Amino acid sequence: MALVPEYGARLQERTGPRLPVGAGLGLIGGGLLLVSTADAGTPYALYLLVLSVGTGLCAPALTLTVVAELPAHQAGLGSGLNTAAREIGAALGVAVVGTVPASRFHGVPHDSAQVTAFTDAMGAGLRTAAAVLPVSAVAVVAGYRDRAPAGTGPSA
């Protein structure tokens, strides 16, 4: 995730925010689907790499777009709202991914049958989150406005 944001920012400069955001959210969804299939033989590092690349690809574009769309004197407000939205989204994501397994698994995973039941329940929670991502990605990508030429925007 440390190297990809630089690439994402350069990609956004060349193509605009739609490509890095759409691709990044798609990779996050794919990574969640991969992690949802985890078992004892899972290559976790590879699956987490997919998630990290997706996050690194879309995060800079999302942040830059929020701040760049506001007049300079409101950039701090935009940055704060972006951070608050990201934190609320993370909290909701944890709540959803935690609620689905809690509704499917009851007990403490001590024996292999319970571990399997817990893993299946956690996979269902991760697949639920992954199912929301394509819809979110389409909404975000479709919602991007083309930037007005300099001097014609809201601060002109």
Side-chain angles (χ1 to χ4, degrees), residues 54-83:
T55 302
L57 195 59
C58 71
L62 291 169
T63 301
L64 182 62
T65 302
V66 167
V67 174
E69 288 297 318
L70 295 172
H73 69 279
Q74 291 182 326
L77 173 67
S79 177
L81 288 172
N82 182 59
T83 300

Side-chain angles (χ1 to χ4, degrees), residues 41-151:
T42 297
Y44 291 105
L46 177 63
Y47 293 2
L48 295 177
L49 182 64
V50 172
L51 282 165
S52 295
V53 167
T55 302
L57 195 59
C58 71
L62 291 169
T63 301
L64 182 62
T65 302
V66 167
V67 174
E69 288 297 318
L70 295 172
H73 69 279
Q74 291 182 326
L77 173 67
S79 177
L81 288 172
N82 182 59
T83 300
R86 188 175 57 238
E87 293 298 325
I88 290 168
L92 288 173
V94 168
V96 168
V97 172
T99 299
V100 172
S103 69
R104 294 171 168 253
F105 176 78
H106 305 287
V108 180
H110 290 296
D111 62 36
S112 63
Q114 288 181 329
V115 169
T116 300
F118 175 78
T119 302
D120 291 344
M122 183 56 83
L126 292 168
R127 284 188 296 277
T128 301
V132 172
L133 269 160
V135 175
S136 301
V138 168
V140 169
V141 169
Y144 270 111
R145 296 178 289 152
D146 291 326
R147 293 201 52 142

Side-chain angles (χ1 to χ4, degrees), residues 16-40:
R18 286 185 175 105
L19 179 60
V21 169
L25 291 175
L27 284 169
I28 293 169
L32 287 172
L33 286 175
L34 289 170
V35 172
S36 76
T37 65
D39 60 15

